Amino acid sequence: MIVDLLTIKLRAMRGTLRSTEGRMRIPAFGLMSVIFAVLLYFAASYVIGLSLDIQPVGQLLVHKLLSITVLVFFALLLFSNVVTAFSTFYLADDLEFLMGQPIPTDTLFTSRFVESLVQSSWIVILFGLPLFFAIGVQMEAPLYIYPLLLFILLPFVAIPTALASIVALLVTNIIAANRTRDAALFFGLTAFATLFVIIRSFQPERLLNPDSFDSIGEMMRLLTVPSFSYLPSDWVVNILTPLLFDLDAPVMWSVLLLFSTPAALYFIAAWLHRPLYFRGYSNAQEGRHGGGLMTVFRNWIFERTRRAKRNLGDAIQELAETPGRASALRQMVKKDQAVFTRDASQWSQILIVVAIIIIYLVNFKYFEIAADQALIGDIGLVFFNLAACSFVVVALCGRFLFPGVSIEGRSFWLILQAPVSLERFLVGKWLGGILPILIIGQLLIWSSNLLVGMSLVLCLITSVQVLIISLVAAAMATGMGAIYPQFHNPNAARIASSFGAVIFMITTIFVVLFLIALWFQVSLYLSDLGTNRTPGLLYWLAAGFGLTLAFALIPLVLKAGAYFLRRRF
Amino acid sequence: MYGDFTAVDHIDLTVPVGQVFGVLGPNGAGKTTTLRMITGLIQPSGGSISINGFDLAQETVDAKKVTGFIPDRPYVYDKLTAFEYLRFIGGLYDMTHKDIADRIDELLTLFELREWSDSLIESFSHGMKQRLVFSGALLPRPRLLVIDEPMVGLDPKGHHLIKTLFRTLVEEEEMSILLSTHTLEVAEEVCDQIVIINHGRIVARGTMGELRLESEQSDGTLEQVFLRLTEESEIERDESVARRFGNAVQTPPESEGTP
């Protein structure tokens, strides 16, 4: 039965892949994953090669890097497993059907456990293997190590899954039902914040410039990873280091712990699920629709955003006294804004936006340090800032504008049958989402430029560039969201990480880099940075072409979106 | 067409002005597909649709301006209030604010939703959502109202309201109503003309009297007429299914001349 419960998921996936769109996904995803893994392998090889050259501490440095990587993986796994456990064990749509079937608790637990394990761990394996391979190749480790890596990583990824399933079980049982979602959000954000602090405390950018360290001792201290014998990441490092570095035999105590811990945790979790799961599941269902901080806050927002605040008679009279016609465009924008502000699932995403902005500004200070140390220089700093700021804009468009068409969901029939062209509908989506993107883009570019004391002219020029890039990225997100819609998917966050969203991110990042490159020489000249020489005609033409391309892309991608959307129905 | 599957094949319909026109048929016959094509929700692979003189393919916006649609499942924006939803619909149809206000007042009263006008739609029952969708479809005073299963989710009072409303709309406002339904009692009571579809094709059409004549059930109820007109042998069924899936089978000579 466990196999049946798992294969039904695979069959559903195979069903999706039978569609024309789905057929493209396997080769496209496969190719992208291979390219990514290869790039990661070469980048890791390069860094490890550089580290090994630093004598006499090269090997030690690689060991430290390995420890950091495994620890970060462990933190990432904890984060993703906690979020996944709440979703697969308590909030998945198919649970309502499965709970009504005569399925033993142990069977349901094991199938959900495997599902959680695969869902939250595959990406870590994809990221991790190229890194470990790179270390192995650089250290000339024996060939038999490579298949062993998978064997070692499997129990490593299973530990966070078992831990997360216990955490989710206890949370859904202990905390009041209506707080389940609050708790899931709280745990997710705490894990994210912890991970951020861990990465930040390593100050990895300092490794770019070993001269910034007063001594090798200081460098080593920087790389000191919290080492605790009860951390699974420590056990993995204790096993991998002797193998990859071709030293003594792995620490047997670590081998024992690595393999016995997930097995023990799995049995404890399964045992706890027997008496507690159903209660937790019932609580989570109650918490799905109401109660909790989210609902209190949502009601507060609703009270302040609904139109008919007074009685219906007054609202009707006010509407009747408004002159003119109700514009379809304005109504669509207003509808989108109301739906967005009242959807509690979007708020956690707003916290992520705030986190992105803070991370961006904090990290920007490090770029400034790099510029001071003549690593990248002032011109490099301007370029990095413009590119990084544009990437944040693209990421925000991907998260908030790309799902715009998809989240119409089953209500999309209203738009399709209404006397409004799909082009106009997409323009409404674009206009509705553009303002926050423009504000955040401008906020980032001005604050980051002023933070490092750039001239006003440069601030203005980069501000105009970010403004145009924001308009283009928002149009691309709206248009491509219409080319790759997911009307059946109610979760905006999942739509934002779908196949179409990845295609959007890659394409838009290329377009943005191309535009920055076309404008770069002229913008340097105008801002009096780098060179006083007037750029040649070719550069002016390139800048003009960039502007034309940007403004041509906006209607083009929106029209393409409408065309593909029409073809679907 | 859905891939190789032919959902609807050579359907030829004319809905006269000021009449209720019913589309009946077994599950999977192609009723919903026909209605969704007429409302512009799906594009037909061939043929043409004209509404109030407007070609749906060429003059899409004009044709949609005179059409209202009520689907069988009332999916609407749950995070809007009933008032906001109706105002939104008014905007889509480019109505004046004054007209929207008057219609909201009228329709919320008619469908007994005034007390709920300021509540989020997500708190509505299925029947209340269905009544709201009716209000939305009628708000711009369409010339053609297309309804897929009008009675789903409505209580007996709602049934009565809708049946009375249909007759009022066609008789007093000269609206044309095209509806598909499995509730044969409703079809018998309110439809001026009925068409029966099976396997994507029209198998019978006419008034109740004409259908009784065609089915040789002169005193039969619509249910008996319907069952007679849609009955088929195993071989006929296999042949129709094969035709719709695009892999026609060799037909034995005795089964020729399908209904």
PDB file of all heavy atoms in Angstrom, chain A residues 198-210:
ATOM      1  N   ILE A 198      24.015  32.455  10.095  1.00  0.00           N
ATOM      2  CA  ILE A 198      25.152  31.530   9.946  1.00  0.00           C
ATOM      3  C   ILE A 198      26.008  31.938   8.744  1.00  0.00           C
ATOM      4  O   ILE A 198      27.227  32.106   8.852  1.00  0.00           O
ATOM      5  CB  ILE A 198      24.654  30.069   9.766  1.00  0.00           C
ATOM      6  CG1 ILE A 198      24.053  29.545  11.075  1.00  0.00           C
ATOM      7  CG2 ILE A 198      25.798  29.149   9.328  1.00  0.00           C
ATOM      8  CD1 ILE A 198      23.424  28.161  10.947  1.00  0.00           C
ATOM      9  N   ILE A 199      25.346  32.156   7.591  1.00  0.00           N
ATOM     10  CA  ILE A 199      26.102  32.495   6.378  1.00  0.00           C
ATOM     11  C   ILE A 199      26.819  33.826   6.547  1.00  0.00           C
ATOM     12  O   ILE A 199      27.983  33.976   6.214  1.00  0.00           O
ATOM     13  CB  ILE A 199      25.165  32.530   5.143  1.00  0.00           C
ATOM     14  CG1 ILE A 199      24.608  31.126   4.892  1.00  0.00           C
ATOM     15  CG2 ILE A 199      25.911  33.024   3.900  1.00  0.00           C
ATOM     16  CD1 ILE A 199      23.587  31.057   3.795  1.00  0.00           C
ATOM     17  N   ARG A 200      26.074  34.813   7.125  1.00  0.00           N
ATOM     18  CA  ARG A 200      26.653  36.149   7.289  1.00  0.00           C
ATOM     19  C   ARG A 200      27.857  36.123   8.224  1.00  0.00           C
ATOM     20  O   ARG A 200      28.838  36.817   8.016  1.00  0.00           O
ATOM     21  CB  ARG A 200      25.582  37.051   7.882  1.00  0.00           C
ATOM     22  CG  ARG A 200      25.179  38.333   7.333  1.00  0.00           C
ATOM     23  CD  ARG A 200      25.589  38.929   6.079  1.00  0.00           C
ATOM     24  NE  ARG A 200      27.001  39.069   5.857  1.00  0.00           N
ATOM     25  CZ  ARG A 200      27.557  38.928   4.672  1.00  0.00           C
ATOM     26  NH1 ARG A 200      26.839  38.639   3.626  1.00  0.00           N
ATOM     27  NH2 ARG A 200      28.836  39.069   4.500  1.00  0.00           N
ATOM     28  N   SER A 201      27.776  35.268   9.272  1.00  0.00           N
ATOM     29  CA  SER A 201      28.863  35.253  10.253  1.00  0.00           C
ATOM     30  C   SER A 201      30.166  34.724   9.636  1.00  0.00           C
ATOM     31  O   SER A 201      31.252  35.009  10.113  1.00  0.00           O
ATOM     32  CB  SER A 201      28.467  34.418  11.463  1.00  0.00           C
ATOM     33  OG  SER A 201      28.342  33.075  11.069  1.00  0.00           O
ATOM     34  N   PHE A 202      30.061  33.979   8.533  1.00  0.00           N
ATOM     35  CA  PHE A 202      31.288  33.491   7.869  1.00  0.00           C
ATOM     36  C   PHE A 202      31.973  34.590   7.052  1.00  0.00           C
ATOM     37  O   PHE A 202      33.133  34.466   6.710  1.00  0.00           O
ATOM     38  CB  PHE A 202      30.959  32.341   6.918  1.00  0.00           C
ATOM     39  CG  PHE A 202      30.478  31.103   7.616  1.00  0.00           C
ATOM     40  CD1 PHE A 202      29.527  30.285   7.025  1.00  0.00           C
ATOM     41  CD2 PHE A 202      30.987  30.750   8.862  1.00  0.00           C
ATOM     42  CE1 PHE A 202      29.082  29.140   7.668  1.00  0.00           C
ATOM     43  CE2 PHE A 202      30.541  29.603   9.505  1.00  0.00           C
ATOM     44  CZ  PHE A 202      29.595  28.800   8.910  1.00  0.00           C
ATOM     45  N   GLN A 203      31.204  35.651   6.727  1.00  0.00           N
ATOM     46  CA  GLN A 203      31.689  36.722   5.860  1.00  0.00           C
ATOM     47  C   GLN A 203      32.428  36.138   4.647  1.00  0.00           C
ATOM     48  O   GLN A 203      33.620  36.398   4.458  1.00  0.00           O
ATOM     49  CB  GLN A 203      32.638  37.642   6.626  1.00  0.00           C
ATOM     50  CG  GLN A 203      31.926  38.422   7.731  1.00  0.00           C
ATOM     51  CD  GLN A 203      32.894  39.289   8.481  1.00  0.00           C
ATOM     52  OE1 GLN A 203      33.721  38.786   9.233  1.00  0.00           O
ATOM     53  NE2 GLN A 203      32.827  40.584   8.273  1.00  0.00           N
ATOM     54  N   PRO A 204      31.774  35.352   3.824  1.00  0.00           N
ATOM     55  CA  PRO A 204      32.464  34.651   2.753  1.00  0.00           C
ATOM     56  C   PRO A 204      33.163  35.571   1.755  1.00  0.00           C
ATOM     57  O   PRO A 204      34.159  35.182   1.143  1.00  0.00           O
ATOM     58  CB  PRO A 204      31.350  33.844   2.067  1.00  0.00           C
ATOM     59  CG  PRO A 204      30.075  34.452   2.508  1.00  0.00           C
ATOM     60  CD  PRO A 204      30.333  35.045   3.840  1.00  0.00           C
ATOM     61  N   GLU A 205      32.653  36.841   1.641  1.00  0.00           N
ATOM     62  CA  GLU A 205      33.281  37.736   0.663  1.00  0.00           C
ATOM     63  C   GLU A 205      34.725  38.057   1.015  1.00  0.00           C
ATOM     64  O   GLU A 205      35.521  38.422   0.159  1.00  0.00           O
ATOM     65  CB  GLU A 205      32.459  39.029   0.513  1.00  0.00           C
ATOM     66  CG  GLU A 205      32.442  39.957   1.717  1.00  0.00           C
ATOM     67  CD  GLU A 205      31.533  39.453   2.819  1.00  0.00           C
ATOM     68  OE1 GLU A 205      30.695  38.563   2.543  1.00  0.00           O
ATOM     69  OE2 GLU A 205      31.695  39.928   3.950  1.00  0.00           O
ATOM     70  N   ARG A 206      35.098  37.884   2.308  1.00  0.00           N
ATOM     71  CA  ARG A 206      36.482  38.200   2.714  1.00  0.00           C
ATOM     72  C   ARG A 206      37.468  37.202   2.113  1.00  0.00           C
ATOM     73  O   ARG A 206      38.646  37.514   1.941  1.00  0.00           O
ATOM     74  CB  ARG A 206      36.598  38.201   4.237  1.00  0.00           C
ATOM     75  CG  ARG A 206      35.875  39.388   4.860  1.00  0.00           C
ATOM     76  CD  ARG A 206      36.220  39.525   6.302  1.00  0.00           C
ATOM     77  NE  ARG A 206      37.592  39.985   6.497  1.00  0.00           N
ATOM     78  CZ  ARG A 206      38.195  40.036   7.681  1.00  0.00           C
ATOM     79  NH1 ARG A 206      37.527  39.659   8.747  1.00  0.00           N
ATOM     80  NH2 ARG A 206      39.432  40.465   7.801  1.00  0.00           N
ATOM     81  N   LEU A 207      36.958  36.040   1.760  1.00  0.00           N
ATOM     82  CA  LEU A 207      37.853  35.042   1.165  1.00  0.00           C
ATOM     83  C   LEU A 207      38.343  35.474  -0.204  1.00  0.00           C
ATOM     84  O   LEU A 207      39.349  34.980  -0.704  1.00  0.00           O
ATOM     85  CB  LEU A 207      37.125  33.687   1.047  1.00  0.00           C
ATOM     86  CG  LEU A 207      36.847  32.973   2.361  1.00  0.00           C
ATOM     87  CD1 LEU A 207      35.980  31.756   2.124  1.00  0.00           C
ATOM     88  CD2 LEU A 207      38.158  32.563   3.031  1.00  0.00           C
ATOM     89  N   LEU A 208      37.570  36.418  -0.814  1.00  0.00           N
ATOM     90  CA  LEU A 208      37.982  36.919  -2.127  1.00  0.00           C
ATOM     91  C   LEU A 208      39.335  37.604  -2.047  1.00  0.00           C
ATOM     92  O   LEU A 208      40.080  37.679  -3.004  1.00  0.00           O
ATOM     93  CB  LEU A 208      36.956  37.934  -2.642  1.00  0.00           C
ATOM     94  CG  LEU A 208      35.618  37.385  -3.135  1.00  0.00           C
ATOM     95  CD1 LEU A 208      34.653  38.532  -3.387  1.00  0.00           C
ATOM     96  CD2 LEU A 208      35.832  36.585  -4.418  1.00  0.00           C
ATOM     97  N   ASN A 209      39.617  38.127  -0.886  1.00  0.00           N
ATOM     98  CA  ASN A 209      40.836  38.902  -0.731  1.00  0.00           C
ATOM     99  C   ASN A 209      41.598  38.473   0.527  1.00  0.00           C
ATOM    100  O   ASN A 209      41.441  39.054   1.590  1.00  0.00           O
ATOM    101  CB  ASN A 209      40.452  40.397  -0.653  1.00  0.00           C
ATOM    102  CG  ASN A 209      41.671  41.283  -0.598  1.00  0.00           C
ATOM    103  OD1 ASN A 209      42.781  40.829  -0.885  1.00  0.00           O
ATOM    104  ND2 ASN A 209      41.460  42.529  -0.225  1.00  0.00           N
ATOM    105  N   PRO A 210      42.438  37.432   0.391  1.00  0.00           N
ATOM    106  CA  PRO A 210      43.139  36.914   1.567  1.00  0.00           C
ATOM    107  C   PRO A 210      44.021  37.968   2.240  1.00  0.00           C
ATOM    108  O   PRO A 210      44.307  37.870   3.423  1.00  0.00           O
ATOM    109  CB  PRO A 210      43.987  35.779   0.997  1.00  0.00           C
ATOM    110  CG  PRO A 210      43.384  35.448  -0.325  1.00  0.00           C
ATOM    111  CD  PRO A 210      42.774  36.702  -0.829  1.00  0.00           C
TER     112      PRO A 210
END
